[in-house]
Amino acid sequence: MTSKEIRSAFLDFFKDKSHHIVPSAPVVIKNDPTLMFTNAGMNQFKDLFLGEATIKYPRVADTQRCLRVSGKHNDLEEVGIDTYHHTLFEMLGNWSFGDYFKKEAIGWAWELLTKVYHLDKDRLYVTIFEGDTSEGLARDAEAFSFWAAHVAEDRILLGNKKDNFWEMGDTGPCGPCSEIHYDMRPDDERQQVKGQDLVNADHPQVIEIWNLVFMQFNRLKSGVLEPLPAKHVDTGMGFERLVRAIQGKTSNYDTDVFQPLISFIAEKAGIKYGENEKTDIAMRVLSDHIRAVSFAIADGQLPSNNKAGYVIRRILRRAVRYAYTFLNFKNPFFHELVPLLAEQFKDVFDELYQQQDFVEKVILEEEVSFLRTLTTGIQRFENYAAQQSVIAGDFAFELFDTYGFPIDLTELLAREKGLVVDMDGFQKALNVQKERSRAATSIDTSDWVLVGEDEEVEFVGYDTLSAKTQVIKYRKVSTKGKEQYQLVLSVTPFYAEGGGQVGDTGVLVSETGEKIAVTDTKKENGLIVHFVDRLPTQVDVVFDAQVDAQKRLDTESNHSATHLLHAALKQVLGDHVHQKGSLVSADVLRFDISHFSKMTQDEIKAVEDIVNEKIRENIALKEERNVPFQQAIDMGVTALFGEKYGDYVRMITFDDTFSKELCGGTHVRATGQIGFFKIISESAVAAGVRRIEAITGSKAAAVIREYFELFQNVKELLNNPKDFVSAVGKLVEENSSLKKEIENQIKERSLAMKKELEEKFEVVNGVNFLAAVVDLPNADAVKTLAYALKGMMNNLFLVLGADIEGKPSLTVVVSEDLVKEKGLNAGTIVRDLAKDIQGGGGGQPFFATAGGKDVSGLQKAIARAKSFVY
Ligand code: SER
């Protein structure tokens, strides 16, 4: 079976068992403060497990792209070194939400593996949870008995909490699990050592392929396991491992999932795969990492300097570094893998194919800039290594952090020079940084306190800005030390931040008259949480929830304008324009798009004209809720990459032929409400991404008025010329010719002064000495004069004083021969003399200056100068 057939067979199998097939969620996670990237197939169903959303389909199956490169599940350092871990992998999963449980999950898994995929029963082992007394959990006897119906009992192994109790993160849904392992060793090895002994022992040929989790609990912050409202099944099968088992390979990289990429890399590098461990690892790293990097970018996460963006940048740099060092790619190469990958995933995860050019471009730019950094880093290493006998941990960390050197490569560079790296020191520095970034982003959340029934929340904010409501539950959160509370309300008109639109603010007025300000509203998974600075004195009463109406209206204007802008940009710039991020607040809208060059003035004007025309047409909003997703797509709606859409979507249309978007945000009733639209800036945010900022409505009016007044004021200053631009041009010209004239005059004056002063030198103790106050208007002129005099003679000691626009200044010059022979030092002298003018200064031994506060002291300083040569 090819990998494509294996994937389809999985989905078909579960479709036959009444499962609803859903698309993969993006790998980049929004709306969940506990996770940056999708790390398991079950992430997109977290709300369903927790009972926070309605179950539409009790049975679901899919293939989900997952990234395990941060947080609780992190495999990055293994990737490429071994043959069965990946940064991005596909997880095939089937789910039951309160429907079937252990018996069916186990039976179907066995049926699929042995009857459809024809895996060898003799090579399969399963594990069950042995129980844990500290958690008060018993052995999973049920799972044991269901397995015993299919498998010999000596193939059912007991596993501890680490291996057989699955948790998504520190908190959240969890439960005992049952894993399926496959032994791929040759027969003779299997006869010598029993497979049973190698399960979960990090043997590269005895590996876990499938995990069946029986979700029964929610792990609370306090550590307590709270039973879930219903029991669920969450299974996850590593697609690349499964393909390897079915195709009978000893490495995931030998399957048809990776071979096309590896062959391409090998060919371009002119090195064969399978001949040398070091170059093999490098090829595996490249063929793996391109998947993580490409899909993260396609799902909207650009490489950057913080958080999720930094994780992606680091993966990209790890790949480039391996390519550079082991495969001798000194020029950008990594991006060339994108078209191959896009083609491979064309019908599976189409978002890469559709954005291929963009993804390639982003990676190329990153490569170019990193290769530059890399050269500097290697230079740094060479210089350092030339002077040290050990590579200090801090230095290795600097290379790692600033120059993207994976630690194994620093070790290798060191070994080549006969040096070692202080690994403990490196680890320490790494931990310090991890701790720092954890502290910077840490959100400490206490468990929910239930007030009323834990029912599903009703959002009424599309239709009204106030509603009678009750608090369902609340909890305390502290973000970077700041304490607040979050409330969940039974009914809420508050829009939670999402789709770029900021969260609503407003007030809760209790029936007792108490007012509590809502400072923000956010979504956490499916839950709408309201941020308040303090809890109401009485929580279990009825509240009137009121949204700040003016702010909401201004925000709506900007949101609808964003849709018009999006459509106009596609018209003016072309269809390659995709939304890459947006921020819609009451004051301004910010819209990022994929586009490769700076927009011209004409393009900006054309876009503004289209948007303003659509505003003047006063097009009524067409809002359609609960449209089946496919139907919306067939109607030509604009869907965004990196967004997770449900089966039913909301469609926002302004003129059927102009703008139709999937959107959860709030909008104006008709476009006329936006008033006026003006772009205020267009700039680059990353390779291939442009950012447009614009304003609308009363904000636009205020800005226009401000600019108009400014212009009026300037015009008046110029006596209201008819042709403003040429009047200003003339002014600038006049100004520069006047400046030139003044400079010439000063030069002439200095020259005349030079002649005059030359004659005033006297010889004191064999030194040509002069101290005088000169009448010159600026420091430059004094300096020119001083240097001119210095050029005239040797053996010179010169002190010039000047009153420059009311401030005293001193300049001391000592010719080089005097510096050498007599040890005179202009710097020391000027500091001493500066006391007379209440000032200070310094410079070099042959030239130094000082400024001060007291002009009347100039004469005294000049008189004192001679004392230095006596
Ligand atoms: N959630 C489990 C895992 O990730 C099974 O899907 O292994």
Side-chain angles (χ1 to χ4, degrees):
M1 277 176 128
T2 62
S3 55
K4 268 205 166 124
E5 288 162 352
I6 294 170
R7 190 190 288 113
S8 322
F10 178 89
L11 298 174
D12 290 345
F13 178 85
F14 283 103
K15 209 169 168 181
D16 277 352
K17 310 248 181 276
S18 311
H19 285 63
H20 175 65
I21 310 298
V22 301
S24 169
V27 279
V28 181
I29 294 211
K30 296 168 183 164
N31 292 343
D32 191 337
T34 66
L35 269 188
M36 277 203 274
F37 299 108
T38 299
N39 67 4
M42 52 74 66
N43 294 161
Q44 64 164 314
F45 307 114
K46 191 174 163 186
D47 299 348
L48 293 178
F49 291 127
L50 294 176
E52 276 159 7
T54 327
I55 295 163
K56 285 204 192 92
Y57 300 97
R59 297 179 182 191
V60 167
D62 74 1
T63 174
Q64 169 68 48
R65 47 186 186 275
C66 300
L67 261 186
R68 289 200 170 167
V69 290
S70 59
K72 188 175 164 71
H73 299 278
N74 186 351
D75 299 329
L76 184 59
E77 294 308 318
E78 262 79 58
V79 175
I81 314 282
D82 75 16
T83 55
Y84 59 104
H85 281 97
H86 299 291
T87 51
L88 180 128
F89 63 98
E90 277 179 73
M91 194 184 268
L92 303 170
N94 58 293
W95 287 273
S96 150
F97 303 115
D99 192 47
Y100 61 86
F101 204 44
K102 297 181 188 177
K103 183 169 183 225
E104 293 83 347
I106 288 173
W108 288 337
W110 189 254
E111 183 187 336
L112 178 66
L113 292 180
T114 58
K115 301 237 168 73
V116 179
Y117 293 140
H118 302 292
L119 287 184
D120 185 351
K121 288 181 194 161
D122 258 7
R123 292 173 180 268
L124 285 163
Y125 296 91
V126 301
T127 63
I128 62 141
F129 182 46
E130 67 184 7
D132 188 289
T133 42
S134 67
E135 300 270 14
L137 295 169
R139 193 171 82 103
D140 195 346
E142 271 179 335
F144 187 90
S145 70
F146 294 131
W147 275 121
H150 308 283
V151 197
E153 291 197 2
D154 67 340
R155 292 184 169 265
I156 309 174
L157 312 171
L158 294 181
N160 59 18
K161 193 167 101 179
K162 184 181 139 277
D163 290 324
N164 282 79
F165 191 86
W166 199 85
E167 309 202 37
M168 187 189 85
D170 294 334
T171 59
C174 54
C177 64
S178 201
E179 298 170 344
I180 304 172
H181 294 251
Y182 198 59
D183 184 352
M184 279 172 259
R185 292 173 304 150
D187 291 342
D188 54 333
E189 276 184 42
R190 288 202 296 142
Q191 259 142 33
Q192 275 162 25
V193 182
K194 284 197 303 188
Q196 276 91 335
D197 297 338
L198 297 176
V199 165
N200 273 331
D202 285 333
H203 190 289
Q205 301 304 331
V206 185
I207 54 173
E208 176 195 342
I209 53 173
W210 202 346
N211 187 13
L212 318 179
V213 183
F214 309 118
M215 293 289 186
Q216 280 171 271
F217 304 102
N218 179 20
R219 171 81 71 187
L220 297 181
K221 167 87 184 160
S222 56
V224 168
L225 289 174
E226 178 190 66
L228 290 176
K231 288 179 183 168
H232 315 280
V233 170
D234 153 32
T235 90
M237 175 146 61
F239 174 65
E240 298 75 10
R241 293 183 182 187
L242 173 71
V243 172
R244 162 181 164 184
I246 295 172
Q247 296 183 349
K249 306 287 185 195
T250 51
S251 154
N252 291 9
Y253 294 91
D254 292 342
T255 65
D256 67 340
V257 178
F258 288 97
Q259 269 309 305
L261 290 165
I262 297 228
S263 312
F264 181 78
I265 299 165
E267 191 195 313
K268 288 281 170 163
I271 301 172
K272 280 219 170 83
Y273 181 72
E275 291 193 339
N276 172 311
E277 181 63 7
K278 275 185 197 153
T279 51
D280 282 359
I281 291 178
M283 289 189 214
R284 293 201 288 264
V285 165
L286 260 71
S287 67
D288 170 276
H289 288 14
I290 192 64
R291 298 161 31 111
V293 171
S294 299
F295 279 106
I297 297 173
D299 279 343
Q301 184 55 65
L302 293 173
S304 75
N305 256 342
N306 52 49
K307 296 190 192 157
Y310 190 50
V311 176
I312 298 308
R313 176 166 280 170
R314 285 254 295 277
I315 299 174
L316 189 149
R317 290 182 165 192
R318 188 170 188 259
V320 175
R321 182 76 180 97
Y322 272 97
Y324 182 92
T325 306
F326 296 107
L327 304 175
N328 212 21
F329 286 115
K330 303 296 183 218
N331 291 311
F333 163 72
F334 195 44
H335 65 285
E336 288 181 31
L337 299 172
V338 174
L340 220 63
L341 190 68
E343 185 62 38
Q344 189 184 347
F345 278 98
K346 200 169 151 191
D347 303 316
V348 189
F349 305 139
D350 216 35
E351 32 285 270
L352 183 57
Y353 185 75
Q354 291 185 44
Q355 299 178 89
Q356 183 184 316
D357 286 348
F358 171 68
V359 174
E360 238 183 292
K361 172 95 176 176
V362 171
I363 297 179
L364 171 65
E365 295 279 333
E366 276 285 313
E367 280 191 271
V368 170
S369 83
F370 179 55
L371 283 169
R372 232 179 282 136
T373 315
L374 200 58
T375 325
T376 326
I378 290 174
Q379 198 53 52
R380 288 267 297 130
F381 178 85
E382 295 289 336
N383 293 346
Y384 181 92
Q387 294 162 17
Q388 310 288 333
S389 51
V390 172
I391 307 297
D394 283 342
F395 182 69
F397 179 74
E398 184 194 325
L399 289 180
F400 170 82
D401 197 40
T402 315
Y403 300 99
F405 283 33
I407 188 62
D408 41 346
L409 285 158
T410 303
E411 276 187 294
L412 187 96
L413 285 173
R415 223 176 300 134
E416 281 166 4
K417 296 217 174 305
L419 304 176
V420 288
V421 180
D422 169 13
M423 285 303 286
D424 287 347
F426 171 76
Q427 206 51 50
K428 229 195 224 152
L430 189 66
N431 289 344
V432 169
Q433 191 216 36
K434 273 194 187 150
E435 184 46 39
R436 206 184 308 126
S437 71
R438 202 195 55 77
T441 53
S442 92
I443 304 170
D444 195 20
T445 320
S446 63
D447 290 324
W448 288 111
V449 179
L450 216 54
V451 179
E453 280 282 294
D454 199 358
E455 59 197 300
E456 209 182 323
V457 174
E458 195 192 350
F459 173 65
V460 293
Y462 291 141
D463 306 306
T464 171
L465 293 181
S466 70
K468 292 266 183 275
T469 187
Q470 270 178 305
V471 177
I472 296 180
K473 54 187 177 182
Y474 66 84
R475 69 180 176 188
K476 194 154 118 187
V477 282
S478 63
T479 320
K480 293 181 202 165
K482 187 184 167 215
E483 287 207 341
Q484 274 184 306
Y485 289 86
Q486 293 177 336
L487 308 180
V488 174
L489 305 175
S490 56
V491 179
T492 183
F494 283 82
Y495 177 80
E497 179 183 313
Q501 182 175 334
V502 297
D504 277 337
T505 57
V507 65
L508 300 176
V509 186
S510 87
E511 57 188 8
T512 61
E514 188 180 15
K515 281 189 179 165
I516 303 284
V518 175
T519 58
D520 202 357
T521 312
K522 285 188 201 279
K523 241 193 199 149
E524 188 173 322
N525 300 299
L527 217 57
I528 300 174
V529 291
H530 306 77
F531 286 74
V532 294
D533 289 336
R534 64 183 177 86
L535 281 180
T537 349
Q538 228 186 317
V539 190
D540 56 346
V541 290
V542 173
F543 291 88
D544 194 14
Q546 300 165 3
V547 171
D548 179 336
Q550 190 55 48
K551 186 181 155 195
R552 166 71 94 78
L553 282 176
D554 289 343
T555 310
E556 281 177 1
S557 281
N558 281 335
H559 201 153
S560 302
T562 303
H563 284 208
L564 303 182
L565 169 64
H566 194 177
L569 283 166
K570 279 194 195 271
Q571 269 188 18
V572 174
L573 301 178
D575 268 343
H576 63 281
V577 167
H578 290 296
Q579 176 169 342
K580 286 288 150 213
S582 78
L583 174 76
V584 180
S585 70
D587 294 335
V588 69
L589 68 94
R590 204 173 76 191
F591 195 61
D592 296 345
I593 51 162
S594 51
H595 181 58
F596 298 138
S597 52
K598 186 167 177 55
M599 285 177 72
T600 64
Q601 281 304 323
D602 283 346
E603 285 166 342
I604 291 179
K605 261 191 234 159
V607 168
E608 284 178 346
D609 285 349
I610 295 175
V611 174
N612 281 315
E613 199 183 299
K614 293 291 165 188
I615 292 172
R616 284 190 299 269
E617 280 175 26
N618 199 21
I619 306 160
L621 161 75
K622 187 157 108 197
E623 184 210 14
E624 291 157 280
R625 299 178 198 170
N626 292 317
V627 183
F629 180 74
Q630 198 49 50
Q631 187 182 323
I633 295 294
D634 294 345
M635 287 165 82
V637 77
T638 305
L640 306 185
F641 294 115
E643 233 15 89
K644 180 184 135 195
Y645 295 108
D647 298 301
Y648 291 89
V649 289
R650 181 166 172 263
M651 225 160 62
I652 295 296
T653 306
F654 290 108
D655 177 347
D656 275 311
T657 60
F658 186 66
S659 161
K660 213 183 247 312
E661 288 196 36
L662 295 184
C663 178
T666 66
H667 288 273
V668 296
R669 300 286 146 223
T671 57
Q673 212 176 309
I674 302 169
F676 184 68
F677 169 86
K678 177 83 191 89
I679 292 177
I680 52 172
S681 81
E682 191 275 349
S683 59
V685 264
V689 183
R690 309 294 307 179
R691 170 165 295 172
I692 293 158
E693 285 185 305
I695 46 178
T696 64
S698 57
K699 280 282 168 331
V703 168
I704 288 165
R705 181 175 306 126
E706 191 190 319
Y707 272 61
F708 206 72
E709 278 173 9
L710 192 76
F711 181 59
Q712 280 303 332
N713 291 344
V714 178
K715 232 165 117 181
E716 262 161 43
L717 276 179
L718 295 175
N719 289 328
N720 295 316
K722 276 213 181 67
D723 183 345
F724 180 75
V725 176
S726 83
V728 174
K730 218 165 110 196
L731 205 66
V732 171
E733 223 166 76
E734 252 171 44
N735 187 42
S736 87
S737 81
L738 283 174
K739 240 192 208 152
K740 244 182 232 144
E741 207 167 293
I742 291 173
E743 273 163 22
N744 284 339
Q745 279 181 16
I746 294 173
K747 216 178 254 162
E748 268 166 37
R749 221 154 88 205
S750 318
L751 285 180
M753 216 173 260
K754 181 188 147 209
K755 277 219 176 84
E756 212 175 284
L757 291 178
E758 250 178 79
E759 293 172 3
K760 294 199 176 144
F761 271 88
E762 49 181 317
V763 179
V764 181
N765 271 338
V767 171
N768 292 316
F769 166 77
L770 173 71
V773 175
V774 291
D775 180 16
L776 283 173
N778 59 45
D780 265 355
V782 179
K783 189 173 171 183
T784 313
L785 174 62
Y787 269 89
L789 287 166
K790 180 171 175 257
M792 301 295 303
M793 57 194 106
N794 283 334
N795 240 350
L796 161 141
F797 174 48
L798 167 70
V799 180
L800 296 178
D803 173 351
I804 292 166
E805 289 174 11
K807 295 244 166 67
S809 95
L810 287 167
T811 303
V812 176
V813 182
V814 178
S815 58
E816 274 83 357
D817 50 350
L818 273 191
V819 174
K820 260 192 219 137
E821 285 152 28
K822 293 214 166 163
L824 281 189
N825 183 320
T828 326
I829 298 171
V830 91
R831 267 193 292 276
D832 189 323
L833 293 176
K835 288 179 201 152
D836 294 332
I837 56 167
Q838 288 187 33
Q844 284 158 312
F846 58 88
F847 183 86
T849 56
K853 286 187 214 141
D854 183 11
V855 185
S856 71
L858 270 179
Q859 286 301 343
K860 193 175 165 203
I862 291 300
R864 218 153 55 76
K866 208 185 252 182
S867 67
F868 290 92
V869 275
Y870 268 129

